[in-house]
């Protein structure tokens, strides 16, 4: 089955800096890669996703890049704000269910 | 995205009792819903796939008699934790696969924190 590795486990940045979270996957058949933001005590919220036929996707301060050859994808957050502090999960799927990474706790200090 | 309502958000119960958690898809009919479990500071673990009108499909290691899933309608799936014990204490989250317009996007409910005393 699919295996998703996510790094780093914790990331601390100053407000206004950029943050990058990286994930690798093992199954070359995976073709859908979403990112979720989870605040304490809440369910995960889909923030951006990318399909395998696209190399990059951007939505305001958030962007995701995908390298199919290397089987890795990354989340980029620019101009971070304290409200970006949360746990971020990457995931990958092919024809079945999503496989999640272990999460990255992002801490943005004012 | 899809609107998923999960209830209750928090429940405390005594050991040996059963607890039911509801998951509703509010804005479209969901033939498939998923139930996840999450321990503190850990990732989401898929427990089972709930299919409307048929038996749920459980992941390896998940006791189907312990975690009863009922998906009786296209908008409602329930998870019942039977004879709950302290080790069942966890954050339970349901999710719904999006409509044909959103493909395989997965939308989550707000979660239920179960504490078994």
């Amino acid at each position: 089955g699919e295996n998703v590795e996510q790094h780093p486990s914790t990331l601390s940045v100053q407000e206004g800096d950029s943050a990058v979270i990286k994930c690798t996957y093992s199954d070359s058949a995976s073709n859908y890669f979403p990112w979720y933001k989870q605040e304490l005590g809440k369910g995960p919220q889909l923030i951006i996703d990318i399909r395998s036929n696209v190399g990059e996707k951007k939505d305001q301060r958030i962007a995701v890049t995908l390298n199919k050859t290397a089987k890795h994808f990354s989340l980029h957050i620019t101009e971070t704000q304290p409200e970006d502090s949360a746990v971020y999960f990457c995931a990958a799927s092919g024809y079945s269910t999503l496989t999640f990474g272990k999460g990255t706790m992002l801490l943005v200090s004012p | 995205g899809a609107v998923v309502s999960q209830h209750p958000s928090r429940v405390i119960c005594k050991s040996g009792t059963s607890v039911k958690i509801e998951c509703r898809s509010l804005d479209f009919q969901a033939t498939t819903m998923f139930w996840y479990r999450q321990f503190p500071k850990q990732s989401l673990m898929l427990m089972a796939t709930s299919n409307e009108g048929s038996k749920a499909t459980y992941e390896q290691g998940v006791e189907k008699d312990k975690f009863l899933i009922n998906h009786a309608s296209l908008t409602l799936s329930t998870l019942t934790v039977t004879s709950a014990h302290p080790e069942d204490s966890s954050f339970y989250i349901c999710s719904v696969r999006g409509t044909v317009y959103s493909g395989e996007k997965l939308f989550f409910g707000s979660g239920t924190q179960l504490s078994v005393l």
Side-chain angles (χ1 to χ4, degrees):
Chain A
E2 176 65 277
N3 182 47
V4 177
E5 299 281 342
Q6 183 172 346
H7 299 280
S9 57
T10 305
L11 179 59
S12 295
V13 300
Q14 290 290 120
E15 182 177 1
D17 289 349
S18 294
V20 181
I21 303 171
K22 299 182 179 181
C23 288
T24 60
Y25 62 100
S26 61
D27 190 349
S28 57
S30 290
N31 57 12
Y32 176 62
F33 308 91
W35 285 89
Y36 288 86
K37 175 183 179 182
Q38 186 178 28
E39 297 177 342
L40 190 62
K42 298 184 179 180
Q45 176 190 6
L46 178 66
I47 57 173
I48 196 167
D49 57 7
I50 193 168
R51 299 181 192 281
S52 58
N53 59 347
V54 176
E56 183 174 356
K57 185 176 178 181
K58 194 172 182 179
D59 182 5
Q60 299 184 336
R61 297 186 297 108
I62 295 174
V64 58
T65 59
L66 171 66
N67 184 326
K68 279 197 68 179
T69 303
K71 286 191 275 189
H72 66 70
F73 56 112
S74 301
L75 177 71
H76 304 253
I77 305 174
T78 59
E79 301 173 27
T80 54
Q81 302 166 2
E83 50 266 38
D84 293 330
S85 296
V87 178
Y88 291 80
F89 291 97
C90 64
S93 78
Y95 301 104
S96 58
T97 57
L98 284 174
T99 300
F100 287 86
K102 293 189 175 182
T104 297
M105 178 176 287
L106 174 63
L107 302 171
V108 182
S109 304
Chain B
V3 181
V4 183
S5 174
Q6 187 172 340
H7 180 81
S9 58
R10 183 178 296 272
V11 59
I12 302 172
C13 69
K14 292 182 179 179
S15 184
T17 60
S18 295
V19 175
K20 180 185 283 188
I21 303 169
E22 292 187 349
C23 180
R24 294 181 184 275
S25 175
L26 298 184
D27 55 354
F28 76 97
Q29 295 178 329
T31 56
T32 304
M33 293 185 181
F34 304 91
W35 287 95
Y36 288 83
R37 183 174 183 176
Q38 186 178 35
F39 290 106
K41 298 185 179 181
Q42 293 192 21
S43 189
L44 294 88
M45 182 189 78
L46 179 65
M47 298 176 65
T49 301
S50 170
N51 303 296
E52 188 269 336
S54 64
K55 292 183 179 180
T57 304
Y58 290 82
E59 295 299 303
Q60 190 174 6
V62 178
E63 299 177 58
K64 61 180 181 181
D65 295 330
K66 174 74 171 176
F67 300 99
L68 300 179
I69 292 173
N70 185 290
H71 194 156
S73 77
L74 288 171
T75 59
L76 174 64
S77 176
T78 60
L79 168 67
T80 301
V81 184
T82 62
S83 186
H85 288 93
E87 57 265 30
D88 298 324
S89 298
S90 187
F91 193 56
Y92 294 88
I93 320 171
C94 69
S95 67
V96 168
R97 182 167 280 159
T99 66
V100 63
Y101 303 107
S102 55
E104 62 271 69
K105 292 180 191 286
L106 208 59
F107 300 97
F108 287 86
S110 54
T112 298
Q113 182 64 54
L114 171 63
S115 299
V116 185
L117 304 178

